[in-house]
Amino acid sequence: MEDNARLMPTQGHHTAPKWDEEKVHKLAQYFQELEYLFQDCQVNDDRQKKDYAVCYLTYDTGEMWMSVKEYK
């Protein structure tokens, strides 16, 4: 990451991406928001992207995502 890159928002921050798990049809929008942030914040590493994608979710959903083979 370059020194002038924007930082990813922390979990719970008002600028952090959010996904309402009751609205499964909005999951693609959640990933689109993440992609915009990754570009702005110059996050290019796939491992970091996965970690950020999970950190904005509820604990239970994050645990479920981390159990998927593709996450590892």
Side-chain angles (χ1 to χ4, degrees), residues 2-13:
E2 293 180 15
D3 289 339
N4 62 350
R6 203 174 104 181
L7 297 175
M8 291 290 290
T10 57
Q11 181 185 32
H13 192 268

Side-chain angles (χ1 to χ4, degrees), residues 30-31 34 38 43 45-57 62 65-66 68-72:
Y30 173 73
F31 281 112
L34 281 170
F38 294 153
V43 176
D45 180 69
D46 285 342
R47 171 87 256 148
Q48 277 189 305
K49 288 180 179 183
K50 291 175 185 179
D51 290 343
Y52 278 121
V54 167
C55 87
Y56 298 118
L57 301 173
W65 284 21
M66 288 188 291
V68 174
K69 180 180 80 172
E70 288 79 6
Y71 179 84
K72 297 176 176 148

